[in-house]
Amino acid sequence: MKKIMNQVQDMVRESCEGFAQAHADIVALNAEPLFIYRRDMPVQVALISGGGSGHEPLHAGFVGRGMLAAACPGEVFTSPVPDQMLAATRQVTGAAGALYIVKNYTGDVMNFELAAELAAAEGLTVQSVVIGDDVAVQDSTWTAGRRGVGGTVFLEKLAGAAAEQGASLEGVRGVAERVMAGVRSMGLALTGATVPAAGQPNFTLQDNELELGIGIHGEPGRARVPMLSAADMAAGLLDPVVADLDLKRGEEVLVLTNGMGGTPLLELYLAHREVRRLLDAQGVKVARQLVGNYVTSLEMQGLSVSVLRASADDLKLWDAPVHTAALRWGA
Amino acid sequence: MKKIMNQVQDMVRESCEGFAQAHADIVALNAEPLFIYRRDMPVQVALISGGGSGHEPLHAGFVGRGMLAAACPGEVFTSPVPDQMLAATRQVTGAAGALYIVKNYTGDVMNFELAAELAAAEGLTVQSVVIGDDVAVQDSTWTAGRRGVGGTVFLEKLAGAAAEQGASLEGVRGVAERVMAGVRSMGLALTGATVPAAGQPNFTLQDNELELGIGIHGEPGRARVPMLSAADMAAGLLDPVVADLDLKRGEEVLVLTNGMGGTPLLELYLAHREVRRLLDAQGVKVARQLVGNYVTSLEMQGLSVSVLRASADDLKLWDAPVHTAALRWGA
């Protein structure tokens, strides 16, 4: 195992320290318990998320104006604990209340639930949404039901824009639920990834195969298949997504072509070309798009595609100003 | 070799097509000869760069308001040809003239020189600068003199801001020369990378070693050494940079902690913490910073550090609005 790190047990903390130094104009770091929060938090609904580390820039990279109020990083591929979420909630929640954005993994769901109860006991108003956008598998090693993956970026951006515009907690939650109903994702891996504490790759693929339907922790997918062309990769990811969304000719979508962390942009933009070609051929209109490594799995090579059926309101929320480490425009 | 691609010979073109689709609000693609150019080019000095592909987002990711007017991508790790540069020059050059920004590699230098002569013969005003900021080695496989690496981002940003503000060709060139005089870089690799046309890694490192002083094409560096802690990696990169710049206590710098393409952000931010810690200890003030995969070598894991001795004028040019695929603020 070769990682840029000092001691395994210090990796997440030290990385968060570097992140907070690099983006000190946007975020601040709370060291104990560990969370990242927005420096200039105004009076509005506070979006709070978190999850295991190793998926950067998710979630800390989305803390800032127009997206999250706080993010709680767990150890690598391990849920943060309720103490982190509770402390973050105290830090950023005002009279407008807070919305927890939880990716559907058993540990995350349980710990955010517990934190919500503790926060409520202190008189804080907290609601939660749980996203499960991965069409690859129904249940998996880490999850009952669908896993939360790339669609989380759309959820955090659109709900964050609604909060920034002064929507109520019910209003922000309504946007979040609309996104969850309209987004689907699927991913594939060309390589595994090594969790620092394990020291060994979480799985190994031969030089002529890929794993289709992989999760962001390297959970098994639908099938291990011989290596595919970029065109066939795009079809293998998009077809189940389009079918599950029941997308029709003429509909508008927001697309994320997402790298798994170790995927170079040269390859990712090529994949995006194939995604666009397939959607064009089906008469689906790509109204907005995002290409990059946004919801990752350490150094894994591979990609995922997320598609959101987007209304005019959704596009306005997407276009609204955002100022975070990983997404920035109009602000 | 596992790459997200169709046919090797179509890889660069198809990736550029996906890039131009994803960023159609900023850039347009000229298919033959291949170059990417700024859609809304105003009357000002046109900065034109280019080089082998595989270093994305460099250079196409820096085309747009406040940076480059055009970028010419060659095949992977292969110089673009003079026809590309000449056609790009015709497309974006007005009465204010053009400045070629050339990384110091033998093929790039030769081809940009030839393009400048051809452009001059057509009555276009073109000047060139050649950047060599890598302190690792004096000469290497691909270069006589120092290699052009991460410092190119600072050069393109600061000179681009000057051009956007209406500086003359001599003025923009002056900024470029000031940056080149004040920036130094050094990199290290944890893994090699595979050029698609070769199909094999350009070099192989054992599980307990890294290559210090590596170039962005996998050219050999200063030494192959046993694996280091992040703290020692940062010192191994920074010490030669600081010594070569003769940085003194109290001076202000702009720092780029740059991933080589396959480096996850978890590790890169941790490296940045170490870079900051060392500079802080030396009393050098980090006035601005950038952390991410910006000047890459395909899927190589590793990092480089670039340091620019920055005047107040340099910081103003850094802060000036920029709207490109890879850097965006204030616009």
Side-chain angles (χ1 to χ4, degrees):
Chain A
M1 174 180 65
K2 290 195 282 190
K3 304 268 184 194
I4 304 173
M5 64 178 188
N6 295 305
Q7 300 297 318
V8 168
Q9 66 272 20
D10 299 326
M11 196 172 184
V12 169
R13 177 182 58 79
E14 290 182 350
S15 180
C16 286
E17 289 175 4
F19 176 83
Q21 287 177 306
H23 304 288
D25 54 327
I26 307 173
V27 302
L29 173 78
N30 191 80
E32 186 54 52
L34 186 66
F35 64 91
I36 302 271
Y37 63 102
R38 180 174 164 181
R39 212 173 252 288
D40 67 331
M41 187 65 199
V43 180
Q44 64 183 40
V45 173
L47 266 58
I48 300 170
S49 192
S53 292
H55 307 303
E56 292 71 22
L58 188 81
H59 296 274
F62 300 128
V63 171
R65 182 173 168 205
M67 284 186 84
L68 299 180
C72 306
E75 288 300 311
V76 173
F77 292 1
T78 302
S79 174
V81 295
D83 267 5
Q84 292 172 264
M85 299 146 186
L86 179 61
T89 308
R90 287 184 191 131
Q91 175 71 40
V92 296
T93 307
L99 184 69
Y100 288 171
I101 297 177
V102 187
K103 299 194 303 303
N104 188 31
Y105 298 100
T106 307
D108 290 342
V109 171
M110 196 175 66
N111 288 332
F112 270 106
E113 265 177 20
L114 190 49
E117 285 169 23
L118 294 168
E122 296 188 8
L124 297 163
T125 305
V126 175
Q127 295 191 20
S128 298
V129 292
V130 178
I131 180 168
D133 56 313
D134 188 343
V135 302
V137 294
Q138 185 50 39
D139 300 308
S140 77
T141 330
W142 305 59
T143 320
R146 285 182 169 177
R147 304 175 291 214
V149 291
T152 311
V153 177
F154 294 150
L155 172 51
E156 295 182 354
K157 175 66 181 81
L158 272 57
E164 194 76 37
Q165 291 166 10
S168 67
L169 183 52
E170 284 64 34
V172 174
R173 189 191 171 121
V175 170
E177 287 175 345
R178 190 172 77 215
V179 172
M180 293 192 298
V183 69
R184 300 289 186 279
S185 304
M186 189 158 148
L188 66 79
L190 303 184
T191 68
T194 297
V195 175
Q200 307 251 10
N202 47 10
F203 65 95
T204 306
L205 291 167
Q206 300 305 311
D207 204 33
N208 61 348
E209 61 182 8
L210 59 81
E211 177 97 23
L212 196 61
I214 198 84
I216 58 173
H217 309 96
E219 311 95 301
R222 288 190 171 191
R224 195 163 286 198
V225 300
M227 190 60 187
L228 299 172
S229 69
D232 288 341
M233 288 183 199
L237 298 180
L238 255 186
D239 289 350
V241 163
V242 167
D244 205 274
L245 274 176
D246 195 21
L247 271 183
K248 299 284 195 297
R249 187 167 287 273
E251 287 197 287
E252 289 203 321
V253 295
L254 216 163
V255 172
L256 167 62
T257 300
N258 175 62
M260 298 307 291
T263 308
L265 289 181
L266 180 71
E267 297 179 37
L268 208 51
Y269 279 113
L270 196 156
H272 185 65
R273 172 190 186 270
E274 302 303 324
V275 168
R276 285 289 305 257
R277 201 174 46 73
L278 291 169
L279 289 171
D280 287 352
Q282 296 173 51
V284 174
K285 189 182 165 200
V286 177
R288 301 289 187 280
Q289 57 214 308
L290 185 66
V291 182
N293 288 279
Y294 289 105
V295 179
T296 64
S297 185
L298 297 167
E299 73 279 12
M300 184 189 282
Q301 290 179 40
L303 80 155
S304 67
V305 177
S306 298
V307 178
L308 171 69
R309 172 184 275 123
S311 66
D313 282 349
D314 292 331
L315 297 180
K316 270 187 212 154
L317 291 169
W318 178 254
D319 292 340
V322 60
H323 186 173
T324 68
L327 285 188
R328 182 167 174 182
W329 55 74
Chain B
M1 175 180 65
K2 290 195 283 192
K3 303 269 182 192
I4 304 173
M5 65 176 188
N6 296 306
Q7 300 297 318
V8 168
Q9 65 272 21
D10 299 327
M11 196 170 184
V12 169
R13 177 182 58 78
E14 290 182 351
S15 179
C16 286
E17 288 174 7
F19 176 83
Q21 287 177 306
H23 304 289
D25 55 328
I26 306 174
V27 302
L29 174 77
N30 190 83
E32 187 53 54
L34 186 67
F35 64 91
I36 303 270
Y37 62 101
R38 181 174 164 181
R39 212 174 253 288
D40 67 331
M41 187 64 200
V43 180
Q44 64 183 39
V45 173
L47 266 56
I48 301 170
S49 192
S53 291
H55 308 303
E56 292 71 22
L58 189 80
H59 297 272
F62 300 127
V63 172
R65 181 173 168 207
M67 284 186 85
L68 299 180
C72 305
E75 288 301 311
V76 173
F77 292 1
T78 303
S79 175
V81 296
D83 268 4
Q84 292 172 266
M85 299 146 186
L86 180 62
T89 308
R90 286 185 192 130
Q91 175 71 41
V92 297
T93 307
L99 184 68
Y100 287 171
I101 298 177
V102 187
K103 299 194 303 303
N104 188 31
Y105 298 100
T106 307
D108 290 343
V109 171
M110 197 174 64
N111 288 332
F112 269 106
E113 264 177 20
L114 190 50
E117 285 169 23
L118 294 168
E122 296 187 8
L124 296 164
T125 305
V126 175
Q127 296 192 19
S128 298
V129 292
V130 179
I131 180 169
D133 55 313
D134 187 343
V135 301
V137 293
Q138 184 50 39
D139 301 307
S140 78
T141 329
W142 305 58
T143 321
R146 285 182 168 177
R147 303 175 293 214
V149 291
T152 311
V153 177
F154 294 149
L155 172 52
E156 294 182 354
K157 175 66 182 79
L158 271 58
E164 196 75 37
Q165 292 167 8
S168 67
L169 183 52
E170 283 64 35
V172 174
R173 189 191 171 123
V175 170
E177 287 175 344
R178 191 173 74 215
V179 172
M180 294 192 297
V183 69
R184 300 290 186 279
S185 302
M186 189 158 147
L188 66 80
L190 303 183
T191 68
T194 298
V195 175
Q200 307 252 11
N202 48 10
F203 64 96
T204 306
L205 291 166
Q206 299 305 311
D207 204 33
N208 60 351
E209 60 183 8
L210 59 81
E211 177 97 24
L212 195 60
I214 198 84
I216 58 174
H217 308 96
E219 311 96 300
R222 287 191 172 190
R224 194 163 285 197
V225 300
M227 190 60 187
L228 299 172
S229 69
D232 288 340
M233 287 183 199
L237 298 180
L238 256 186
D239 288 350
V241 163
V242 167
D244 205 274
L245 274 175
D246 195 20
L247 271 183
K248 298 285 194 301
R249 186 167 287 272
E251 288 196 284
E252 289 202 321
V253 296
L254 217 163
V255 172
L256 167 63
T257 300
N258 174 64
M260 299 307 293
T263 309
L265 289 181
L266 181 71
E267 297 179 37
L268 208 51
Y269 279 114
L270 197 156
H272 185 65
R273 172 191 187 268
E274 302 303 325
V275 167
R276 285 289 305 256
R277 199 174 47 72
L278 290 170
L279 289 171
D280 287 352
Q282 295 173 49
V284 174
K285 189 180 165 203
V286 177
R288 302 289 186 281
Q289 58 216 308
L290 184 67
V291 182
N293 287 279
Y294 289 104
V295 179
T296 65
S297 185
L298 296 165
E299 74 279 12
M300 183 188 283
Q301 290 179 39
L303 80 155
S304 67
V305 176
S306 299
V307 178
L308 171 68
R309 171 184 277 123
S311 66
D313 283 347
D314 292 331
L315 297 180
K316 269 187 212 154
L317 292 169
W318 178 254
D319 292 341
V322 61
H323 186 174
T324 68
L327 284 188
R328 183 168 173 182
W329 56 73

